[in-house]
């Protein structure tokens, strides 16, 4: 029963995460964002291609789907397993990770989605709001100082499991190991999805946010 429930949490998160806001918005406009701009189905490219209103829609939609996936899993876990507090922790980690997977590899859009940074931040807000705040501060500092969104995304992703370990190493519980594993998987996935950006950063050809010839993400 426990394993089936957790599999269900992963599936629920994945199916909800597969609703990619930037792709949906572009389809309404009669196009496909994956063929425009940087060709990435994410917030930054939505801003570049469709403007601020599209970016606001994508930000709210993708953030909420990530938060809802983890929050609903926690709620259901509390109802089904009222005596097992660790189940709600496991449920939110598994469902949250599922949402990130769905955003990256959406079932409804040929498994070609975004890079999952916004979705990841959404589920991290449910995992631990302290880490979510620290990561957004790091992200903004890097963007403001370098104007490289990709660099900020990669650095924040790498720091995520480090922050998780730092804040939990002194008081581990039954679910801490799963939490650490999920954070590492999310970090590895994010870095992998930014591999082209990393190559361009190393070669000095990565585009900066706001550049007129900004065609990559």
């Amino acid at each position: 029963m426990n394993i089936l429930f957790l599999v269900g949490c992963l599936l629920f998160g994945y199916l909800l995460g597969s609703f990619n806001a930037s792709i949906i918005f572009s389809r309404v406009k009669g196009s496909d964002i994956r063929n425009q701009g940087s060709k990435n189905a994410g917030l930054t490219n939505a801003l570049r291609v469709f403007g601020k209103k599209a970016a606001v829609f994508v930000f709210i939609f993708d953030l909420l789907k990530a938060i809802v996936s983890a929050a609903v899993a926690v709620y259901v876990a509390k109802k089904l397993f009222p005596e097992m507090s660790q189940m709600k922790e496991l449920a939110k980690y598994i469902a949250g990770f599922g949402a990130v997977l769905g955003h990256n590899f959406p079932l409804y859009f040929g498994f070609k989605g975004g890079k999952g940074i916004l979705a990841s931040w959404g589920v991290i807000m449910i995992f631990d709001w302290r880490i979510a705040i620290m990561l957004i501060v790091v992200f903004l500092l890097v963007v403001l100082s370098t104007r490289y969104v990709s660099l900020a995304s990669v650095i924040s992703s790498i720091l995520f499991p480090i922050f998780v370990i730092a804040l939990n190493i002194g008081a581990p519980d039954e679910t801490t190991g799963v939490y650490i594993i999920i954070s590492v998987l999310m970090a590895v996935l994010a870095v992998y999805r930014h591999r082209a950006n990393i190559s361009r950063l190393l070669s000095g050809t990565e585009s900066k946010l706001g550049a007129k010839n900004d065609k990559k993400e």
Side-chain angles (χ1 to χ4, degrees):
M1 176 63 178
N2 295 358
I3 297 298
L4 288 177
F5 171 70
L6 293 177
V7 171
C9 288
L10 180 66
L11 182 60
F12 170 73
Y14 173 74
L15 293 176
L16 189 57
S18 289
F19 287 100
N20 185 293
S22 59
I23 299 176
I24 293 172
F25 188 92
S26 66
R27 291 285 179 87
V28 171
K29 291 292 185 179
S31 60
D32 190 330
I33 195 170
R34 294 171 297 180
N35 298 321
Q36 299 171 278
S38 68
K39 297 181 172 56
N40 180 60
L43 175 63
T44 306
N45 200 32
L47 175 63
R48 292 167 178 160
V49 175
F50 297 110
K52 294 180 181 179
K53 290 184 179 180
V56 170
F57 169 77
V58 171
F59 179 84
I60 294 174
F61 188 103
D62 283 345
L63 189 65
L64 284 180
K65 77 179 181 186
I67 293 174
V68 169
S69 67
V72 169
V74 170
Y75 176 80
V76 175
K78 287 181 179 179
K79 294 295 184 181
L80 294 180
F81 308 97
E83 305 300 323
M84 300 175 63
S85 60
Q86 70 272 20
M87 282 303 293
K88 66 182 181 66
E89 298 298 313
L90 292 173
K92 71 180 180 183
Y93 299 147
I94 299 299
F97 182 57
V100 175
L101 285 176
H103 184 85
N104 279 273
F105 311 107
L107 175 66
Y108 319 122
F109 303 109
F111 304 100
K112 184 180 178 182
K115 297 175 181 176
I117 298 302
L118 180 57
S120 294
W121 188 63
V123 298
I124 293 169
M125 288 178 66
I126 300 296
F127 290 176
D128 191 327
W129 62 268
R130 300 169 300 172
I131 294 178
I133 291 175
M134 288 190 290
L135 291 177
I136 196 62
V137 168
V138 170
F139 181 90
L140 291 175
L141 287 175
V142 175
V143 170
L144 290 174
S145 60
T146 69
R147 290 170 53 210
Y148 286 126
V149 174
S150 57
L151 179 62
S153 299
V154 170
I155 291 175
S156 299
S157 299
I158 293 173
L159 287 176
F160 175 38
I162 295 175
F163 288 164
V164 170
I165 294 171
L167 292 181
N168 289 276
I169 195 169
D173 58 29
E174 298 92 334
T175 63
T176 300
V178 174
Y179 186 14
I180 292 173
I181 291 171
I182 291 294
S183 69
V184 171
L185 290 175
M186 287 173 60
V188 170
L189 177 60
V191 173
Y192 172 76
R193 295 287 285 165
H194 282 84
R195 61 195 185 281
N197 303 87
I198 294 172
S199 178
R200 291 194 294 268
L201 284 167
L202 293 174
S203 65
T205 59
E206 177 73 325
S207 296
K208 293 186 176 183
L209 183 65
K212 291 184 178 179
N213 62 344
D214 202 352
K215 297 299 181 182
K216 302 182 181 69
E217 181 181 348

